Amino acid sequence: MSSEGTFGGAIIETIKTIVYALLIAGVFRTVFFQPFWIPSGSMKDTLLIGDFLFVNKMAYGYSYASCPSIRIQRLGIDIDAKDICGWMRDDNSRIMGGEPERGDVVVFRHPVTGSDYIKRLIGLPGDRIQMKDGVLQINGEPVQLEDGGTFAEVMAPQGPERNLPRCENGPVGQGGTCEKPRSYETLPNGVRHAVLNIGDFRTDNTPVFTVPPGQYFFMGDNRDNSTDSRVAQTAGGVGFVDYEDLIGRADRIMFSSAGRSMLFFWTWRSDRYFKAIE
């Protein structure tokens, strides 16, 4: 056999290996787990900007939202999940569907923009949800709250987007300590988690939201810094989220970086590796 033939065969085998690897990775991401990088502070202090986790897609079964969206701006590639799996859309059902539980931290597609969001599931179908003076009310009863001290962080740009944190003790100069009161909230099913407060905002007092059948109500743990179901989709919020828009449940942080890039090893948060999400 000529050297040209051997070389050509090696190239073909390499290409086949790459294609097989991409197919396996695509199936793994579509069926089992989806990587998710926390871009904003709406879930502090449960999740910090720069936390990296895998979303468990098996938790609630599969819908069109389980298919990956492929967006590479530099190459002009913008393939949405509905472009791949749109045939599964609009009947608000799931294959091998499982019911989410109150208190789950869930990644879902925004009902209008299609962007991926991560929030805590607060309201199930039929629930009545309201905020009164910053206290969550579920079906007419306030949730149990305990003082959790103060959440403190450095006033500095965070993550790739270089956003500054919002503070209860503001204004705070660069390098200063940004503080927010923290409480521990216990939901009716016993799920206990931290919530942060910055001040008095419009979303601290809301009308009663009655969650429709087949839909869910989500809120961020950083209550005054979260775009969630408390604001209607028509007003730029999330509103109610359909069952078919759920992607999966976030169970554990795998890795965390406090810097602009995960390659900046000196910014890694070693205390958050494999940390369970509560």
Side-chain angles (χ1 to χ4, degrees):
M1 181 180 293
S2 67
S3 59
E4 289 83 358
T6 302
F7 180 71
I11 291 178
I12 292 173
E13 288 302 315
T14 300
I15 292 174
K16 288 167 67 175
T17 299
I18 293 173
V19 170
Y20 291 152
L22 290 175
L23 287 173
I24 292 171
V27 170
F28 183 85
R29 178 174 176 179
T30 301
V31 177
F32 300 109
F33 299 97
Q34 175 175 317
F36 192 84
W37 186 272
I38 302 299
S40 74
S42 69
M43 283 294 292
K44 291 179 181 176
D45 65 341
T46 303
L47 298 172
L48 303 181
I49 295 175
D51 283 349
F52 179 80
L53 49 90
F54 282 102
V55 180
N56 180 0
K57 290 189 172 186
M58 297 176 286
Y60 311 133
Y62 305 94
S63 71
Y64 86 96
S66 303
C67 289
S69 296
I70 305 172
R71 296 186 175 93
I72 307 176
Q73 294 182 350
R74 289 175 295 180
L75 301 179
I77 297 175
D78 187 2
I79 303 174
D80 191 78
K82 66 177 181 291
D83 298 326
I84 304 172
C85 296
W87 57 274
M88 298 173 65
R89 197 179 181 204
D90 293 332
D91 63 355
N92 203 27
S93 64
R94 306 181 74 87
I95 298 172
M96 300 171 62
E99 293 297 326
E101 297 183 5
R102 194 192 315 276
D104 285 356
V105 176
V106 179
V107 174
F108 59 89
R109 283 173 56 90
H110 188 284
V112 176
T113 67
S115 299
D116 290 349
Y117 275 54
I118 185 165
K119 306 289 180 186
R120 190 175 298 276
L121 176 55
I122 296 297
L124 302 174
D127 280 343
R128 290 174 289 109
I129 306 297
Q130 186 179 21
M131 293 292 290
K132 286 185 178 181
D133 297 324
V135 179
L136 173 62
Q137 318 278 317
I138 299 179
N139 296 324
E141 296 293 331
V143 298
Q144 178 183 337
L145 286 175
E146 308 165 53
D147 179 59
T150 300
F151 173 75
E153 57 187 335
V154 177
M155 172 56 76
Q158 298 180 346
E161 298 179 5
R162 313 309 290 154
N163 293 325
L164 292 172
R166 297 174 66 187
C167 318
E168 188 269 341
N169 62 326
V172 176
Q174 287 278 339
T177 301
C178 174
E179 298 180 349
K180 288 179 273 290
R182 174 172 50 203
S183 300
Y184 287 101
E185 182 178 88
T186 301
L187 301 178
N189 61 342
V191 173
R192 181 177 180 270
H193 59 97
V195 293
L196 303 182
N197 182 59
I198 299 173
D200 295 325
F201 289 83
R202 179 170 58 91
T203 50
D204 286 331
N205 288 280
T206 71
V208 175
F209 300 98
T210 301
V211 186
Q215 295 186 312
Y216 299 90
F217 191 97
F218 289 92
M219 293 174 63
D221 290 348
N222 191 0
R223 291 286 162 80
D224 294 330
N225 193 32
S226 175
T227 300
D228 52 40
S229 294
R230 290 171 292 176
V231 178
Q233 298 164 17
T234 54
V238 171
F240 300 120
V241 178
D242 284 340
Y243 183 45
E244 68 177 3
D245 285 329
L246 308 184
I247 295 174
R249 185 182 65 219
D251 294 326
R252 189 171 297 273
I253 300 163
M254 305 304 294
F255 172 84
S256 186
S257 172
R260 182 179 300 180
S261 168
M262 64 182 298
L263 299 178
F264 295 173
F265 63 87
W266 57 91
T267 67
W268 294 352
R269 305 181 181 109
S270 59
D271 62 324
R272 297 184 70 79
Y273 297 169
F274 309 110
K275 179 180 174 65
I277 296 173
E278 300 177 350

